[in-house]
Amino acid sequence: MRKLIVLGFVGLVAQLIDGSLGMAYGVTSSTLLLAAGVAPAAASAAVHFSEIGTSLVSGASHHKFGNVDWRTVSILALPGFIGAFIGATLLSNMDAAVAKPVVAVILLSLGFYVVYRFLKLGGARPTFKGHPSAFFLAPMGLVAGTLDAVGGGGWGPVGTTSLLSSGRLEPRKVVGSIDTSEFVVAVGASLGFIFGLGSQGINWGYAVALLAGGVVAAPIAAWLVKHLAARVLGVAAGGLIILTNSKTLLEAFGVPGVGVATAAAVIFVLWVSGIVWAVKQERRAKSEAADERELEAAPA
């Protein structure tokens, strides 16, 4: 019972991050499930079944606040569904001993990707030049969907970052569109896991616990997307993903406990330093914006 309550809290926090940043629900949830000893395929299956509910509520909430570009959603949906089904089928037929380090590498890479995105590009303001083309969206959806199912996360880190860097949608519509299209991706992955694992191979209690927490957080996150300091939360989430999966990977390769602890300590220090830097940058940006408003308001 205690584990289910903790998973409910994990789902709440993960959805707050995902609904605000357009990424990290699956990566965060899968990372913590793997750390708790859940097999990679079972962890990804529980996360994706919970995402059917959380992404549905999140999409409806984003639509209510005007955060969704439905053209983008309609183009992403089918390739994302196909990619997620393929990825889930691959993971279901992979030996657990092989799958754990493979998934840890994917999640670790995504963690670095998230941190890089918000440390290096967090202050960038894209210029909006129309809508992204179908030739851009369809391959991105296929790759992101496959990676999402295999790694337990990836739809957001790949999709949100790619759309933001393209400069063709304002950030709030990038987040809303990625979160809304994730419903179809979650359905595709879930069907793949049912075919690959069977219903007995899925821990429904974990899925329901994550779902309960995520549903509570989804409407809050959709509102927060207009007000949240995304840079700080992005670095914090990415650092947690890097820390946890580094430990999993080092243990999988037989690194002694002292080596694992030393690496974790170094990563932890770097993680905290990154968060502090992000907070300073956020305060600096707000201060500069306030100074600009004062100059504009001052009489000529």
Side-chain angles (χ1 to χ4, degrees):
M1 187 63 180
R2 183 180 297 176
K3 181 178 285 189
L4 294 180
I5 294 172
V6 170
L7 285 174
F9 181 73
V10 168
L12 188 147
V13 173
Q15 184 57 42
L16 275 176
I17 297 168
D18 187 89
S20 304
L21 302 181
M23 64 177 74
Y25 176 87
V27 183
T28 304
S29 301
S30 296
T31 291
L32 295 175
L33 285 175
L34 288 175
V38 179
S44 186
V47 168
H48 282 92
F49 272 101
S50 71
E51 278 186 322
I52 292 176
T54 57
S55 59
L56 184 62
V57 175
S58 182
S61 301
H62 279 298
H63 174 66
K64 179 180 177 181
F65 288 105
N67 297 337
V68 181
D69 181 82
W70 287 103
R71 176 186 174 277
T72 298
V73 172
S74 65
I75 297 172
L76 280 175
L78 182 59
F81 178 95
I82 294 171
F85 184 87
I86 292 171
T89 304
L90 287 173
L91 184 60
S92 297
N93 291 285
M94 195 181 295
D95 182 77
V98 175
K100 191 167 185 177
V102 169
V103 172
V105 168
I106 293 173
L107 292 172
L108 182 64
S109 302
L110 291 172
F112 278 113
Y113 198 27
V114 171
V115 171
Y116 173 80
R117 168 70 185 87
F118 288 98
L119 279 180
K120 302 295 288 186
L121 306 177
R125 292 184 177 277
T127 54
F128 309 122
K129 301 170 289 188
H131 289 81
S133 69
F135 291 103
F136 170 78
L137 291 172
M140 185 197 81
L142 185 66
V143 172
T146 304
L147 186 61
D148 189 82
V150 173
W155 181 253
V158 175
T160 299
T161 304
S162 299
L163 282 179
L164 282 174
S165 62
S166 76
R168 294 182 180 273
L169 278 180
E170 56 184 302
R172 69 185 182 91
K173 290 203 171 183
V174 169
V175 173
S177 300
I178 290 296
D179 270 13
T180 302
S181 57
E182 194 165 19
F183 169 75
V184 181
V185 176
V187 171
S190 297
L191 289 174
F193 283 120
I194 285 179
F195 281 112
L197 297 176
S199 60
Q200 299 301 315
I202 300 165
N203 192 313
W204 298 104
Y206 291 173
V208 171
L210 290 169
L211 171 62
V215 165
V216 171
I220 303 171
W223 178 82
L224 281 176
V225 73
K226 294 183 179 180
H227 309 284
L228 196 67
R231 178 165 26 196
V232 177
L233 190 52
V235 172
L240 175 63
I241 294 162
I242 292 170
L243 177 65
T244 309
N245 285 289
S246 295
K247 178 177 178 292
T248 300
L249 202 57
L250 290 171
E251 289 175 344
F253 284 102
V255 175
V258 174
V260 174
T262 302
V266 172
I267 294 169
F268 180 79
V269 171
L270 292 173
W271 177 29
V272 173
S273 299
I275 293 172
V276 170
W277 183 90
V279 169
K280 288 181 178 179
Q281 291 298 307
E282 199 65 35
R283 288 178 176 173
R284 180 181 176 183
K286 288 181 179 179
S287 177
E288 290 176 352
D291 290 342
E292 288 178 8
R293 286 194 296 268
E294 287 181 6
L295 287 173
E296 291 173 357

